[in-house]
Amino acid sequence: MSNQPATEDNHDEQKSKKPADTAFKQQRLPAWQPIITADTALPVFLIIGLLFIPIGIVLVVTSERVLEYDLDYTDTNCISSTGGNVTCADVLRSNNFTGASCNCTKTITLEQSYTGEVYFYYGLINYYQNHRRYVKSRDDNQLLGKAPPVSADCQPFQTSANGTAYTPCGAIANSKFNDTLTLSFNGTSVPLTNIGIAWTTDKAVKFQNPANPTTYFTNASRPPNWQKTPWDLDTSNNNTNNGYQNEDFIVWMRTAAMPTFRKLYRKLNLTNAGTFQNGLPAGNYVLTVQYNYPVTSFSGRKQFIISTTSWMGGKNPFLGWAYIAVGIICMIAFVIFFALHKTWKISSSPEISPIVENLSEESDNVTLLSSSSSVLVDTQQSNNLSSDSIDISSDDKSFNDQTSVGYLPNTDSSNSTMVIVTSPSFTSDLLSEQNDSIDQLNSSSLSFLQTKQRRIDHRRNKSEPIKSASTEDLASSTILDLSSNNESSIGKKSSVKLTPNNSSPLTTSKQITLEKVSSQSSTTSRKKKPWYNVSIISYYFFIG
Amino acid sequence: MGQNSSITRYFNRVHTPIRTNQNETSMDNNERRIITVNSGPQATKFISNRISTSKYSILTFLPKFLFEQFRKYSNIFFLCIVIFQQIPGVSPTGRYTTAVPLTFILCCAAIKEIIEDVKRHFQDDEVNRRRVLVYRDGAWIYTIWSEVKVGDIVKLVDRDYFPADLVLVSSGEPNGICYIQTSNLDGETNLKVRQGLPQTAHVLSSVQLKELQGTIECELPNRNLYEFAGTLKINSVAFPIPLCADQILLRGSQLKNTVWIYGIVIYNGHDTKLMMNSSSVPLKRTNVEQVTNKQILFLLLILIILCLFSTIAGEFWNYKNKDAHWYIGLNIGEDRETWRHIGFTFLTFFILFNNLIPISLQITVDFVKFIQAYFINWDRDMYDPETDTPASARTSNLNEELGQVKYIFSDKTGTLTKNEMIFKQCSIAGIMYGSGNVAEFNSYELLKNLEQHTTRDEIREFVTLLATCHTVVPENKVHTELPTEVVYQASSPDEFALVTAMKQIGVVFFSRTPDSVTINFRGEEERYDILNVLEFSSDRKRMSVIVRTPRNEIKLYCKGADNVIMERLATNDERAQLTSEHLESFATEGLRTLCLGYRILTKQEYDEWLVEYRQASTAINNRNDLVAEIANKIEQNLILLGATGIEDKLQDQVPDSLIKLHKAGIKIWVLTGDKKETAINIGYSCKLLTDQMLNIILDEENLENTQRQLRQHCQRFGDSLCRENLASLVIDGLTLKYALDASCRSDFLKLAISCKTVICCRVSPKQKAEIVELVKQSTDAITLAIGDGANDVGMIQTAHVGVGIMGREGVQAACASDYTIGQFRFLTKLLFVHGVWSYRRLCKVILYSFYKNICLYVMELWFAFHNGFSGQILFERWTIGIYNVLFTAAPPMAIGLLDRCCNTETIMRFPAIYKMSQNRTDFNIKIFWTWCLNAVYHSIILYFMSYTMLKHDVAFSNGQVGDSLFLGNMIYTYVVFTVCLKAGLESDSWSLFTHIAIWGSIASWFIFFAIYSYVWPTFPVAPEMRGMAKYVFSTPYFWFGLLLIPITTLFADFVYNCIQRTFYKTLMQEVQEKEVAHQDPSDLVNSRQPPTTSRVAERLALLKSVFVRPKTPKTTGISDRPYHGFAFSQEENGVIPQDQLIRNYDTSIIKPSGL
């Protein structure tokens, strides 16, 4: 292809498609790996506990300082002042809720003086201001002072019978709370203000009177339940608190979340000098109610509430107690985890771990179990090793639920038998292609092997000092022996039987190593899974 | 491809406007296609050679995309919600709060589709723009593939791919022969021979080409790869010449070992057989997806139950309180009929609760998978520098399946092996030469012995045999006598290896004429006359040549399988014993072996035989059998020379990878078209089979035997049947046919899944797919098929995950696969790292998506208890709508893209980690519902704590009270906080982006909230939100709640994680801890390492003695000795017999240049 044009060659010289070596593309972004264990969680519990309990106490104290008085004036606390010992509720009902009004008075006693700002609320119970049909039934555009038509959302209080839109339209507006509550102390009426009870944004933005309110409101139909037109709601404040911008109306229009709610009715007017300069003094007050609002039909209740506030707001100790509770739970968790952590630490016997490390280093073998086997090798160099009978209990009972490290005294001081049954675990099948198959061998072949094994044992018992390889063989055969018991007695837990002979330092260290190993393995995993294996390593050493 | 053809046609119209000007002829082209060659324009319009595998074009995008999207249930569901919301008075959340997020999500999906399709367009363009030499108007011009037209004459040189289906006119080789490799089409890697018509084979230059005028008549394009019928009518020849499949070169195959060819394009573009055969990849659904879908249906059921319950409760409340609660106005203007009313109430709740099913799940999952696929593409560890191919995920929706694979079905040639043969060892006269350890045959000793050893005559015969007894054709680059310049062409890679090895020791086969071969024996030229060639066939398992040596002796050289040669030996002496031992050692090393023998024939003997042979070879009936019989007669009393060992080179690190895969609990099935011996050999050399294993071989001729054998083996396994045993099964294609019979099927399956390794030999592509299907159907496991040739396409498409090996061989398997990698060894990283990561990430993403939605939206139910089941919402409608697309969209993405359980090195070192994801511990029904219940628990805490906290309404020191939305926004903030932190709690690793996602999401809500509280009345939305942020942020309750409530909510999760981590650690977590502590996790991993192999070996030796009954291996089906595979991969029953093939050649003639 010598006659190929030069471009062809260029075409062949393509850029290598080797991907770029960036941390993101190679998924090597540095990352923090949080590991939540008893260890790392302890400080978290402690910090939360130490932080939350004081906060809780502060909040509870704050809440306790708030004074609150409430009076349910739905029925018996509001007897019609026109006489006849009928409740105002009954008066309304007897008038079939057609706008009849009823007045009542009730004496209330404040046992403490309410200093500072005092707020007066009306509370309603079992009143579903959060009903979907109710919440929906308003027209925010209308409340901005915009001209009709009004939104169909206002149904069924959209337009009056003559076709003009209700101003304001909708169920919320129509059902505006219209009881009048006044309070007097020793004959002087308590100075109340209805300015500043609504959200400032509402008054400034959301509720706007139309350009020419007087004509606008007089020409429009007022909602059916209203006794006054919107423009007559409050004529006292130079019309700044009138029409849509009437704060009582605005407060009402913010629908409550729950069927039990309270709404700010009045504030104590502190600007007036005199008795109420510093709040409400303790004593008897007379509450006069102009009872217009019917609630009995739906078993609602009406409340009159006098309350001070803290920097947090009204009286509600819940948050404080919740802080304390969570703080205490964290402290309990801290204590429990600390205890667990301690015991866990002990079981992993940190003081002997250096030996393990030393041994591992010595044998140039990093694995824990094989470090113990490497000990074995070391031992063989210095000791005469001889085989021993295998002491493997196939009895289910020996497989305890817990790791058991037992020292069985042995009269024959020259023999020590050690069988470690490690817990079956995830890890046991790590890197174990052969292992998987071990415990699933045909039982017939296993029984065969068992007999074969016995023969091997027998032979070896007679033999001279055995080599490490044969120990391994023996061990592996033992695996087979035990794995035949698998189905019946999968020993999920570890069982270590150690029969020490003499107390040579080397032996002790070995015991400890193995102990460590077994405890490690038992703590690392106790989950029972079908693919778990039992791997048993048995060691025989004979120190002469 | 059916749907694509319309697009293609559209392209045609755009790109080849000239063609449309041509007149449509009224010819009868319904049954055949008529192509004019070299004589003016085509009579009929044919489609262009441009191919398109893309899904969309600009015009078809929108309708097709929408159709695709609305086939998904979730999208239909949300479309319904959108429609329901349009009914006035029904929706509690306004009209467009579902429509907008849905549109947004569809846009994201569209962008993803566009990106993917643009990629396909680019790929197509790349193919379409390849260059090819075309003879047009009497001149050779370069053009691009897409411009190649039917009737064009193209010239291709060695190693070129055919741009279209061609009729071979002539080639640079004698008699118009050319070699092609069709591995792309059918997976067969040996070279195939095609031969041009004798009438056109003389066309060797442009001048002659110009005179070649005529027409080709052929059948219409079809998908039949092996059949073709047509005629060529050349103006200079009176009668039409029949064309058959021997002259057809198909697109997708490659020209090999041939200098050049001329070909006439007959089918192009989507009419080519390759394209007709490529079917669209079937949509595969992943296991996780299926579980998710099932759970979605459950959730839908719960949703409906919830709606029914709420409807009944709501209606009951209405019925009871309609008149009492006068202020709501329920008693006024209620004109709906009861049933309609109930229906609308139901719809209200349906809309209210619809978000329990996460709207963003699909897109989140798609997006995460999409990027995960890019991570696969970007992985440098899976980049093959030799072929310059990075790994590539062709579909992104199967990533998590990679983490759950339990069965791998692998092709052999090209996948496990490189299909490169190398002569490694030989045994001559009982002396072994060469070592298995070095890369190439070391000839020093052999040469020394050739000079002065007692066996030097045998050595001489040995090398001469190898240099003469073959079908290789030499090609002298420059026609010189220099032996090193020779290049060989062989249809059998084994022979190629042998001859090449001979060349290296100085016995150079360098010239072939029709009746002789000439070799350069270490400087001396020797000419051997080829008297007869007794062909190789798989029945004979041997090949012989009868030659006349330069010393005028007549010798028969024979090479073949050991058992065939051994039974033909004159004497069975010690040498045969030694050779057998050597053969055994070759075989254990996984070498392919050949036995060599020779025999000196007397003149008389030969002449007598020749007469018989001639008779047989001219017989009319049963010729092949007769010839074989006669050949058998002379192939007797051989003298054994020795044996050869040829290594079928494995791909890099194949044994390692296979061991790792085994350790990960994956069972490996090798499905190969190769012979049993070859397959077993490869099994040994890649350590799939070992002598420690229980090797079962099934090779039965009929159904009854197969049935009986299967039953016997099953019984033998006893209790361990269907578990993982250290056993292997080798089964032959024919036996497999019976084994797949309904009566044997279950036994076969039981037996097969009891084995770690299964090797199926001589299986057809269809059988491959059947086996995969069988395993897929009968076990619950995820299957993966890996292959490189077209014969693997079936299984690749059948398996849950199909992986194609890209690179040397071609692209057909890659095209059908879901993932393509450059080398087999990359499979480990693909599975262990990408698979495990993707699986774990995806599971978390799905669980988390459900969690976050349930956590927020189930609160509407708690709120319903407080609002008389009226369907009122607690939150502002738009904040509900964009919860999924804005405030909680990033954390699942962060988990899905960046979460890492442990790093690459750790996973690669400890394949056992793979078992965790393989066993689906991260995602199952239990875990799914645990998460859902956890979400419900969280929502209860969040709702009721906030509710109690604000029960008295007075949240400000100025005595003012909040309202419904005031509470709602506070809860919403807590939910966003909790849900984002939960994502953090579930992350195994926090990278920078995780932080950004979690804290950014929380911040995004605060920012959104602050802005959104000021839009009314400037923009006509959210009047009820006006001023909300100011008030919410100014109440101390909010801030104290923000500290307390999310912490309280997550406390239980935290404690659970803590306890689980401390006392019930999973392996993964242990490894993680070690990794964090920068310790070597091998402590942990090795601590459970099984006894050393020697123990296992002994145990299995014992075991084997249990299994093996004192019977012949054949009857028990258990092999007691390693197999000696023999090395022959020769095309049988090809176009041209081997005899004729070598007789065609005369290397002493200079090849034409073809220009």
Side-chain angles (χ1 to χ4, degrees), chain A residues 1 27 31 56 68 95 105 142-143 154 180 201 218 241 251 329 336 338 346 358 378 381 383 449 452 478 511 543:
Chain A
M1 282 311 208
Q27 307 198 63
E68 196 176 288
N95 284 307
T105 53
Q142 187 192 36
L143 298 174
C154 283
T180 313
T201 46
T218 37
N241 190 27
V251 167
I329 290 171
I336 292 173
F338 189 71
I346 289 161
N358 287 343
D378 290 339
Q381 286 160 0
N383 301 291
L449 282 172
K452 197 140 184 168
T478 325
Q511 287 161 5
I543 299 156

Side-chain angles (χ1 to χ4, degrees), chain B residues 89-188:
Chain B
V90 161
S91 168
T93 55
R95 284 186 152 198
Y96 307 109
T97 46
T98 308
V100 170
L102 186 65
T103 315
F104 174 78
I105 280 161
L106 289 181
C107 286
C108 289
I111 289 166
K112 185 195 136 205
E113 287 287 310
I114 289 169
I115 292 172
E116 280 191 337
D117 208 47
V118 163
K119 215 165 70 184
R120 273 184 224 119
H121 276 289
F122 277 127
Q123 275 173 359
D124 288 345
D125 278 357
E126 199 198 331
V127 173
N128 286 333
R129 276 205 296 268
R130 283 195 209 164
R131 295 165 66 93
V132 65
L133 202 55
V134 176
Y135 187 72
R136 257 182 218 158
D137 307 323
W140 288 106
I141 48 163
Y142 273 110
T143 183
I144 54 173
W145 275 28
S146 58
E147 295 295 313
V148 172
K149 293 172 201 156
V150 172
D152 274 346
I153 297 174
V154 294
K155 181 188 170 182
L156 296 161
V157 296
D158 198 10
R159 288 170 199 281
D160 275 357
Y161 284 95
F162 301 120
D165 290 353
L166 312 171
V167 166
L168 176 62
V169 175
S170 59
S171 76
E173 307 296 320
N175 297 347
I177 282 179
C178 77
Y179 293 92
I180 58 168
Q181 191 168 31
T182 57
S183 60
N184 229 341
L185 288 165
D186 53 16
E188 293 174 28

Side-chain angles (χ1 to χ4, degrees), chain A residues 8 17 19 26-27 29 32 36 121 128 198 200 254-255 309 316 323 367 427 440 442 480 524, chain B residues 131 327 378 380 388 716 720 724 870 900 949 957 959-960 963-964 990 1031 1040 1061 1070 1086 1088 1099:
Chain A
E8 183 75 357
K17 288 179 192 154
Q26 302 307 318
Q27 307 198 63
L29 284 175
W32 167 59
I36 308 160
Y121 300 89
Y128 284 83
T200 49
R254 275 216 171 263
T255 55
T309 58
N316 185 355
Y323 263 101
T367 72
T427 34
Q440 284 149 2
N442 181 323
L480 282 178
T524 44
Chain B
R131 295 165 66 93
Y327 52 93
W378 285 332
R380 280 165 78 89
D388 191 34
R716 210 161 278 148
S720 53
E724 202 174 298
S870 58
R900 269 194 320 236
M949 183 177 87
S957 58
Q960 288 178 349
D963 69 344
S964 154
W990 287 58
Y1031 275 84
F1040 279 108
R1061 271 253 179 212
E1070 274 188 83
N1086 288 350
R1088 301 298 193 290
R1099 208 168 59 240

